[in-house]
Amino acid sequence: MTAVPVSIQTAPPASTGLGAARMPSTGALLDTHGRVHRDLRISLTDRCSLRCTYCMPEQGNEWLARESILSTDEIVRIAQVAADAGITTFRLTGGEPLLRRDIVDVVRRLAAIQSPDGPVQVAMTTNGIVLAEHLDALIDAGLSRLNISIDTLQRDRFAALTRRDRLDDVLRGVAAAAASGLRPLKLNTVAMRGVNDDEIVDLVSFATGHGAELRFIEQMPLDAGHTWNRSEMVTRDEILAALSERWSLTAVPGRGGAPAERWMLDGGPATVGVIASVTAPFCGACDRLRLTADGQLRNCLFSTHEFDLLPTLRSGAPDESIDDALRRCIWAKLPGHAINDPSFLQPDRGMNAIGG
């Protein structure tokens, strides 16, 4: 069968750490800076059951067209090609991935995929609202790891921040995850000045009490309304200063390509993490690639360029064309996201349409 060309939006040329090397057509998913990619973030939907103020408007959201959303067969096909090329972890995101009706089947089919190094891991990031109802089935299907987003422990504050009064549901989801024994268990918090920065210690104590690691995330310019304001962001150093008033922090070595820097609390075993994409970027070790719910490959969370897989998937093209798209997308990856450069442009898509 003749390969059908992949539809690609031209990306600016990357300055290369490999000189004029040709893009490898086999082997590891390598970019021009020597980074090997092993993690594929798969967004299952742009829809969400919350309307967090830092992510999306309460009303007037323009959702992806239903016919453009990848089917489960299409997702699994891309995932198998990616695994054959060395991807070892799939993280399911949204929007809210648990809004997908066939979510358990998606997890089961992805968990059955083998990479050259053995079985893949399937992780998920969720807002936790309906987690308690689905968790047993997800674990039976092969879910390996779980992140739950929770930005406050105060009910009124949660309702104001998410525009939904659903904190009790999230707390039930956290409790179910803690009781399940699924580890590691991580709770994600976006730290915001004047919103929840007075809960930094309380949130960590809550997490450790549930056998989880709290991971603070610097607020990033990924809101659909493009209203991000750097002055409202609580920085890595401010978070660590607040934590140091309660605990002695010891850095955990061996970060590798992980987005979070981690510290032991009072010598451990409890830990806390900080993802400082703005003030302490970790682009040099990034091993992540993203697939949006409508079939767009993105080589960076902040990329303004996408590689459209839909024409390839729906034209009868062979798997080699998908592999080529993955490699071209990664080969075009820039050294970093340039948030701190005056030339930085925020992506047109909001976080809910990109996937975490």
Side-chain angles (χ1 to χ4, degrees), residues 316-327:
D319 288 350
E320 288 79 6
S321 294
I322 299 174
D323 180 82
D324 182 66
L326 291 168
R327 294 180 186 280

Side-chain angles (χ1 to χ4, degrees), residues 204-227:
V204 173
S205 296
F206 172 80
T208 58
H210 286 79
E213 176 182 281
L214 200 292
R215 303 198 316 170
F216 291 102
I217 303 172
E218 287 184 339
Q219 188 177 358
M220 296 176 283
L222 289 169
D223 60 300
H226 290 209
T227 61

Side-chain angles (χ1 to χ4, degrees), residues 244 294 316:
S244 296
D294 58 343

Side-chain angles (χ1 to χ4, degrees), residues 186-209:
K186 298 173 183 177
L187 307 185
N188 293 346
T189 295
V190 177
M192 293 162 280
R193 192 177 311 284
V195 177
N196 63 352
D197 51 342
D198 59 339
E199 290 187 77
I200 287 175
V201 169
D202 291 342
L203 283 159
V204 173
S205 296
F206 172 80
T208 58

Side-chain angles (χ1 to χ4, degrees), residues 23 43 62 163 200 204 262 290 347:
M23 182 188 78
S43 175
E62 295 185 7
R163 305 184 178 105
I200 287 175
V204 173
R262 300 172 65 234
R290 287 175 166 80

Side-chain angles (χ1 to χ4, degrees), residues 58-72:
E58 183 174 13
Q59 304 290 341
N61 292 284
E62 295 185 7
W63 308 114
L64 297 174
R66 186 175 299 275
E67 62 271 16
S68 72
I69 301 296
L70 294 176
S71 70
T72 299

Side-chain angles (χ1 to χ4, degrees), residues 165-184:
D165 185 10
R166 303 297 297 273
L167 178 59
D168 290 345
D169 296 317
V170 178
L171 295 178
R172 276 193 291 271
V174 173
S180 74
L182 189 65
R183 299 293 186 275

